[in-house]
Each structure stands twice: as structure tokens, then as C-alpha cells.
Amino acid sequence: MINQSLCAVLVLTLCLTINSSTEVNAFGISNPHQRIESTRMTRSSSTFTALNAEENEGSRRGFIATMKRLFLGAGAIANVGVRPLPVFAEEANGGTSGNVVEIQVSNLDGNPDSKGTIKIQLKPDWAPRGVARFEDLVSQGFYDNCRFFRVLPGFIAQFGINGDPSVMSKWRSSSIPDDPVKVSNSRGTVVFATAGPNTRTTQIFINTREQGNNFLDKQGFSPFGVVVEGMDVVDKLYAGYGEGAPSGRGPNQGLIQAKGNSYLSEGYPKLSYISKATISK
């Protein structure tokens, strides 16, 4: 009979083989749009990897789960030092839920008369530091009148630079420690942007890709909540300006930091924006 150690090595080898065979380069010169940028133009030189499609990820997870059941049992992954894969948000939704943040959005599709509501269920079990920071910012009205300045359909919708440069300057270097990635970056999960380890400040993105952006998991992007109402509203956020400068013709983050909403109102009037964000129990 094959001993447990040999089985563990076999499973680890097979898992690594599955990973390498199902991943493709989804970032860099060939595809500059898939970047998560924070106040410091996040990871402009990093290379992210993405799985080919949702079925590849499903097959991989199913295969790994089967091998674990056959060979390893409940605790063997820890025995060989393999970090468990983050679960999908829907698989972890039974965990402890925190408050709900209700976001009123205006200028949907660039239309001043079009409005909607996004409700985000906070998940302290997933990322307690992220939840605490987001609640702090919401309670202080930080996100009121913030623009969704970077909306890339099928990838992310990003916001979190305050329209008043004097307010933004107080938060720009006020970073919080990372939370471990416990949940995958599935569609609808809400995550802090980051410029590297322990650099989360105020910028947030919502994952909008139908298959999820699970290639962000290994990069340390830790979801702290999930949209439970209003993903149809998220899908209507104005995306006509595209990627931000200098990669595209969208808003330049440095100029947003320096000039605030006056810069955006003049040059990018169609951007959807948060009219009000509140916390409810």
C-alpha cells in the first residue's frame, strides 16, 4: 500500500501540473487592462495570471478535491505545507455576516436621471481589517460623491479617491495591514486595491468578471464583502472612458488626487458616482 507521505507528494505534483496547464498570461504588454491600481498606480510592472475559463477552474477544483479525498484526508494538506485554495464567495456565504453598506449611485450609463442602489454584505470572517477600515470610511462620509473612475466591463469597477484633495491627502498614506485571502475574487466580491503588501488605504474595486478574477487570489487581494443586491446597477456604471491614463483615455489617478472632482467633472462628466453611502445593521 502507498504510504501517506508518498500520496501527499503525488497529489501535490498533480495539483501543480493542473495549475500550470490551465493558466495563461492575462496581464502585461499583451493585455494592459487587467491591472488593479491603487493610489500609487498599483503593480504596473507585475504580471498576473488568469485561468482560461470558468470550466477550467471548476475542473481543477473538482480534481483536487477528489485527490484529497482519496489520498490525504482532512488534514494532510497542512502536513506537506500546501496552502489551501481560497473558496468561492458563494461557498463561504454561510459564515458570520456583519453590517450591510448601502450605496446610492447616480449617473448610471452616464445619464444624470438614472440612479440605483448597491448593497454590500460585509464579511468580518473573511477580512476583519478590511471590514473595519471600510466601515470607518463609510461612517465618515468619505465615499460620498466619489466617482467610479475606472470601470472595465468584464473585469472590475473601481472607486475610492475622495473628491476633495485635502481630505484625500489625509488618507493617502494611512495604510492597513493585509488580511489573508480566505475567499476567491468571485464576481460580486468587494476588495481593497493595493500597491503591494500592507498598502491598503481607501480604494475599492468590485469584481465584475462572470468567471471571477481568481488569478488575483495569489496576489494578496482579499475580499471583505459581497454585493447582495444591485449587481445590475454595477453593470450599468459608466464605462465609456475605458482604462485610465497613461494606458488609456480614462482619468489620470494622479490628477484625481491633486485636483479632485473638479478635474473629473470637467473632463469626465459621464462617470457614475456615489451620492451617499451608509451603514445599516
Side-chain angles (χ1 to χ4, degrees):
M1 178 177 290
I2 302 175
N3 64 42
Q4 189 178 49
S5 297
L6 180 57
C7 289
V9 172
L10 173 61
V11 172
L12 176 58
T13 302
L14 289 170
C15 290
L16 292 173
T17 302
I18 295 284
N19 279 335
S20 63
S21 66
T22 58
E23 291 181 341
V24 295
N25 192 326
F27 183 62
I29 296 175
S30 62
N31 189 355
H33 297 293
Q34 293 194 324
R35 284 200 296 245
I36 299 296
E37 296 175 296
S38 76
T39 58
R40 294 168 236 176
M41 301 298 290
T42 300
R43 299 183 183 186
S44 58
S45 63
S46 300
T47 298
F48 293 121
T49 54
L51 294 179
N52 274 324
E54 184 177 16
E55 58 268 21
N56 286 339
E57 173 63 7
S59 298
R60 184 174 72 94
R61 287 177 177 273
F63 177 84
I64 293 172
T66 300
M67 297 302 291
K68 284 163 65 179
R69 287 195 300 269
L70 287 175
F71 294 111
L72 298 178
I77 285 293
N79 292 337
V80 295
V82 180
R83 183 178 178 182
L85 290 169
V87 297
F88 291 118
E90 56 270 24
E91 296 171 1
N93 210 29
T96 302
S97 295
N99 295 324
V100 173
V101 171
E102 186 170 314
I103 296 176
Q104 303 295 328
V105 184
S106 298
N107 229 31
L108 295 176
D109 291 324
N111 180 356
D113 297 324
S114 183
K115 302 178 180 181
T117 302
I118 301 169
K119 292 185 179 181
I120 299 171
Q121 175 69 69
L122 302 182
K123 294 286 188 176
D125 284 355
W126 295 358
R129 296 186 184 99
V131 167
R133 167 54 63 90
F134 189 58
E135 288 186 325
D136 186 18
L137 290 165
V138 172
S139 65
Q140 295 191 44
F142 178 89
Y143 293 112
D144 297 353
N145 295 314
C146 279
R147 271 51 176 175
F148 287 88
F149 63 86
R150 186 169 183 252
V151 180
L152 305 177
F155 183 36
I156 61 162
Q158 189 168 341
F159 64 97
I161 300 179
N162 191 274
D164 183 342
S166 64
V167 172
M168 191 63 231
S169 65
K170 297 175 183 178
W171 289 95
R172 189 170 183 177
S173 60
S174 180
S175 60
I176 60 173
D178 290 338
D179 286 302
V181 181
K182 295 182 180 180
V183 176
S184 185
N185 282 260
S186 304
R187 172 174 163 84
T189 51
V190 184
V191 190
F192 272 94
T194 173
N198 304 309
T199 58
R200 297 181 297 174
T201 55
T202 65
Q203 289 201 42
I204 306 293
F205 65 90
I206 302 171
N207 285 299
T208 60
R209 184 170 180 255
E210 195 65 39
Q211 301 95 329
N213 293 317
N214 61 337
F215 65 95
L216 297 177
D217 301 347
K218 64 188 70 176
Q219 303 297 327
F221 292 98
S222 179
F224 64 85
V226 62
V227 174
V228 291
E229 184 179 316
M231 273 306 292
D232 58 326
V233 175
V234 175
D235 290 334
K236 293 178 182 177
L237 297 172
Y238 186 74
Y241 298 121
E243 179 63 278
S247 300
R249 64 187 186 93
N252 182 298
Q253 289 195 39
L255 291 177
I256 305 175
Q257 300 273 356
K259 298 182 179 181
N261 281 348
S262 61
Y263 161 70
L264 295 174
S265 297
E266 181 179 353
Y268 304 91
K270 291 187 176 182
L271 288 176
S272 302
Y273 64 91
I274 297 171
S275 54
K276 188 70 175 177
T278 56
I279 299 174
S280 59
K281 301 297 183 180

